[in-house]
Amino acid sequence: MTYDPVLYSRMLTELTFAFHIIFATVGVGIPIMIAFAEWSGIKRNDPYYLLLARRWARGFVITVAVGVVTGTAIGLQLSLLWPSFMRVAGQAIALPLFMETFAFFFEAIFLGIYLYTWDRFRKPITHFLLSIPVMLGSSASAFFITTVNAFMNTPQGFKLNNGSITDIKPLIAMFNPATPTKVAHVLSSAYMTSAFVLAAIAGAALLKKRDSLYHRKALKLTMIAALIFSITTALIGDLSGKFLAKYQPEKLAAAEWHFETARQVPLVLGGILTEDHQIKYGLKIPFALSILAHDNPNSEVQGLNETPVAERPPLIVHYYFDSMVTIGIFLTVLSMASVWMVYKLKSVQYPSWLLRLIVLSGPLAILGIELGWIYAEVGRQPWILRGYMKTVHGATTSTHVDLMLLLFCILYVAIGLTLVKVLRKMFKNSDVQEELKSRGIEGGPTQ
Amino acid sequence: MEVVGITVLWTFLYGYLIVASIDFGAGFFSYYSYRTRKEHVIQNIIKRYLSPVWEVTNVFLIFFIVGIVGFFPDTAYYYGTALLVPGSVAIILLAIRGSYYAFNTYGIKSREIYAFLYGATGLLIPASLSTVLTISEGGFIEIQNGKILFQYNKLFFSLYSWSVVLLAIVSVLYISAMFLTFYAAKANDLPALEIVRRWALIWSAPTIICSLIVFYSINLHNPEHYQHITELSWMFACSFLFFLAAVYFVWKKKNYGLSFIFVMVQFAFAFYGYGASHLPNLLYPYLSMYEHFTNQSMAVALIIAFLTGLLLLIPSLFLLMKLFLFNIRYVRGQMHPKGE
């Protein structure tokens, strides 16, 4: 490959981002789940749930560390790799970036306090209350940083004349049209993914040891949360489709390989696109795209032909979009089935096919997050600021990006592998049953 | 308003200087104690202090970077292009350090390789971050055809850049050892105190010597800046007096708390003195804080956000310190640090 700073900058940003969002997602969602478990434990006076919260927190802090360092990397890389873009962004959207660090600061302080004060207060509820600022902080930082991304999709609140920016309105830039759906979708999918990841752990443990009461409780709690959040995510996903139809029609059209503007448009799943823009082997759902776009089977949906060729997103995003939606639907159905079984099979063992699917659900949910982000980001190509600045004009001109790409690759592989090793060891060495016994829980009060 | 902006940022950088130095130095000392088989003596105080606060340390740095892009967007353009390599190296080191700290502390069994990575990066990070200060003096960036070209060779063979690196490393060890001395005394951990107190005294003299070398090489590299520094020489004199007082107390084995405060004052004078003498240049000679300030409405919004944020942060930080740093039972290890 010949040296092209734009290409390498994109690859390096994608790499860091793909690695970071795994930890960012669980970083936003797991505090909610920990608080949920601790609250259940206090309310029902059930030590199992309290132990659940503790053990989750113990593993969580390790993923937080990786989240912090990769987040730092993103924060710095934005300026290092996209200096021209940050010049504009710094003028127009420094406010949410700045507030994000405040939220992060707030979360960092209270997370430190929360993790080290388990037995320090006379009333257990005091410790639970400390989890509220952690949840607020992590969700608020997701909120602020997502408004920055929303701004890149639907920039507003400034004027750009010959490279100089004027008439800046920070709040208008922050609360742009993409903000509501993006933020809501990011938050609910993060909660959903974390619930499935924790459910997968409980499922794996139940496959090994069928009668563990501790893991049954864990599965019940996580599956209820997963059900609530996956339904929310699906509903918000539908709203996001309507948002795209109105504000970024080329992104939706590229995702659906929809070229001619028309009414009563079907939605196509899978398939292959021929050179003359015909779709082969796809599964067509009649009227679905019209419904997704405007809530009306008869409505008109703008096609990709309305967008100049040089401004069209790559058509491969169709597969990312389809996979994300399929995973979302599958997970919603799975959580419905699981919750139903949890209530039906109160004391009987869960079937192993269900447990296997649940184990699969954690990685699938993360894959869904990755695909969704790739769709959202690649889908706004060739723009870095849609309608204002193309990606090629935002990148650095530095001559060492390829070397940095290589270094970061090695770094993430090393951190990722060690993380898996450490987490596995941590939970292998500290067995649940032994911990239950040493705390005098097993055989104690249960429901 | 520009002055407010730069003062806010400089204060956060100063905060980072202090807390990160404690952290970086602690990492190095922690590894050193492994090698000399004394880890059981001082590991405890290091872990007990670092565990609840390491994440907060990181935020100071991010705050500064986001803040400078917010208040002075053109810095992203110039520094961003110039710093790709040293910046990326710093990120990689920070990433190794942060994650291996967590692996080592919260994972089940400590591994010496993790401790090594954590310790070694503690010295390399200050070195790589300090190149930013070097670059800000000018002379390392050329602009040709509207493209920014960074001169790595010049940076590598500059006396000034190496003297700054040396000063950064030495002062990290000095600040950290002074803090650990105070913390060990508070924990009433006499064997640990004996070790860290010696470290503090060992690293005190080199700090001052390195500072003098930096002054000398600034004069060679950027005489105009050196001129500004001499106009503010009273600040550096104050800094030196506080240094003497701090070392005197540690030498006499008394007032460890006060002596650490003196260390902070010493570095405050030096750091703000250096910062003030640098103004109005942000990057000599391309960026000046008056010509490259952000637009009015964003500046107002940022300052409002900053003040509201402080209302939230100061009580929280206070709570954190009250629960861990100034809680005598926690410091003495009468409370289980891991909450187990």
Side-chain angles (χ1 to χ4, degrees), chain A residues 4-184:
Chain A
D4 171 8
V6 181
L7 179 72
Y8 288 116
S9 295
R10 285 187 59 186
M11 285 166 71
L12 181 48
T13 309
E14 280 159 19
L15 176 75
T16 306
F17 199 63
F19 193 63
H20 175 65
I21 51 173
I22 300 173
F23 304 97
T25 303
V26 298
V28 171
I30 289 187
I32 309 273
M33 298 300 298
I34 295 175
F36 190 19
E38 195 183 2
W39 173 247
S40 306
I42 294 171
K43 221 179 136 203
R44 303 176 188 192
N45 197 15
D46 184 338
Y48 281 83
Y49 285 119
L50 291 176
L51 181 63
L52 198 59
R54 278 189 187 217
R55 285 178 66 93
W56 281 346
R58 226 180 282 159
F60 175 62
V61 62
I62 292 191
T63 63
V64 167
V66 182
V68 170
V69 298
T70 51
T72 312
I74 287 266
L76 285 157
Q77 275 180 354
L78 276 180
S79 295
L80 296 175
L81 296 174
W82 309 98
S84 312
F85 160 69
M86 281 306 276
R87 206 182 200 175
V88 180
Q91 306 263 8
I93 40 160
L95 182 65
L97 274 173
F98 201 58
M99 287 166 88
E100 197 250 341
T101 53
F102 264 118
F104 175 41
F105 214 144
F106 191 60
E107 180 203 347
I109 291 172
F110 279 93
L111 188 66
I113 297 178
Y114 181 81
L115 290 172
Y116 290 91
T117 52
W118 277 100
D119 292 317
R120 229 158 124 176
F121 304 105
R122 223 164 290 136
K123 288 186 186 162
I125 196 80
T126 316
H127 183 257
F128 168 77
L129 290 177
L130 287 170
S131 71
I132 294 174
V134 179
M135 290 187 281
L136 284 178
S138 58
S139 292
S141 62
F143 170 83
F144 291 123
I145 204 66
T146 311
T147 64
V148 174
N149 182 267
F151 170 84
M152 294 162 82
N153 280 281
T154 50
Q156 66 172 30
F158 72 104
K159 279 186 188 137
L160 193 62
N161 299 318
N162 301 328
S164 64
I165 306 160
T166 50
D167 282 345
I168 294 156
K169 301 184 183 71
L171 287 176
I172 307 258
M174 193 172 150
F175 293 97
N176 57 72
T179 296
T181 43
K182 259 210 187 262
V183 167

Side-chain angles (χ1 to χ4, degrees), chain A residues 255-257 265-273 278-289 318-319 321-322 325-326 329:
Chain A
E256 281 308 318
W257 290 344
V265 193
L267 192 129
V268 184
L269 284 179
I272 303 172
L273 194 67
Q278 296 303 310
I279 303 169
K280 273 191 185 169
Y281 314 117
L283 175 67
K284 280 192 182 174
I285 308 172
F287 308 114
L289 188 58
H318 174 69
Y319 297 110
F321 182 76
D322 276 5
V325 173
T326 313
I329 293 172

Side-chain angles (χ1 to χ4, degrees), chain A residues 54 58 64-65 68 73 76 79 87 91-92 94 102 105 113 116 120 168 398 404 415 418 421 426 429 439, chain B residues 51 55-56 63 65 70 74 80 88 91 100 102 106 108 111 114 295 297-298 309 313 323 327 335 337 339-340:
Chain A
R54 278 189 187 217
R58 226 180 282 159
V64 167
V68 170
L76 285 157
S79 295
R87 206 182 200 175
Q91 306 263 8
F102 264 118
F105 214 144
I113 297 178
Y116 290 91
R120 229 158 124 176
I168 294 156
S398 178
M404 297 303 122
I415 291 183
T418 326
K421 202 173 123 197
M426 212 170 141
N429 287 3
R439 286 174 187 277
Chain B
S51 293
E55 214 193 345
V56 178
F63 214 106
I65 290 161
D74 286 339
S88 299
I91 302 173
Y100 284 88
Y106 307 107
I108 286 300
R111 298 265 311 267
Y114 296 174
N295 59 88
S297 52
M298 183 53 85
L313 282 189
L323 283 172
N327 185 307
M335 252 177 265
E340 296 309 314

Side-chain angles (χ1 to χ4, degrees), chain B residues 50-250:
Chain B
L50 280 184
S51 293
V53 301
W54 64 270
E55 214 193 345
V56 178
T57 306
N58 247 313
V59 189
F60 278 94
L61 177 66
I62 302 181
F63 214 106
F64 173 75
I65 290 161
V66 170
I68 196 162
V69 175
F71 281 110
F72 307 97
D74 286 339
T75 55
Y77 182 65
Y78 284 89
Y79 280 108
T81 311
L83 285 172
L84 179 76
V85 175
S88 299
V89 170
I91 302 173
I92 290 174
L93 294 171
L94 280 170
I96 293 176
R97 184 184 163 75
S99 36
Y100 284 88
Y101 171 75
F103 297 157
N104 195 25
T105 312
Y106 307 107
I108 286 300
K109 213 170 95 194
S110 299
R111 298 265 311 267
E112 190 170 333
I113 174 88
Y114 296 174
F116 169 73
L117 288 171
Y118 174 60
T121 50
L123 294 188
L124 295 174
I125 295 170
S128 66
L129 288 179
S130 64
T131 51
V132 181
L133 292 182
T134 315
I135 292 171
S136 75
E137 294 295 332
F140 301 104
I141 290 177
E142 264 183 29
I143 297 188
Q144 286 175 2
N145 310 324
K147 273 190 176 179
I148 295 178
L149 296 175
F150 185 61
Q151 325 245 302
Y152 291 99
N153 292 339
K154 270 198 187 164
L155 182 72
F156 195 78
F157 291 109
S158 146
L159 167 69
Y160 174 62
S161 85
W162 286 108
S163 65
V164 172
V165 165
L166 198 65
L167 177 62
I169 293 176
V170 172
S171 26
V172 157
L173 293 173
Y174 167 68
I175 294 175
S176 185
M178 288 298 254
F179 175 80
L180 291 174
T181 306
F182 151 70
Y183 203 68
K186 208 170 153 66
N188 216 1
D189 187 341
L190 296 177
L193 177 63
E194 198 38 56
I195 297 177
V196 289
R197 179 177 160 272
R198 209 173 61 228
W199 289 343
L201 294 174
I202 288 175
W203 290 108
S204 58
T207 312
I208 293 303
I209 296 171
C210 291
S211 317
L212 294 176
I213 301 178
V214 168
F215 283 132
Y216 172 73
S217 52
I218 285 188
N219 191 13
L220 291 183
H221 187 85
N222 185 341
E224 192 185 323
H225 186 190
Y226 185 75
Q227 191 56 38
H228 288 290
I229 289 181
T230 49
E231 283 159 21
L232 290 166
S233 52
W234 63 273
M235 293 187 84
F236 298 96
C238 284
S239 169
F240 185 65
L241 290 180
F242 278 100
F243 163 79
L244 289 181
V247 174
Y248 174 78
F249 283 141
V250 171

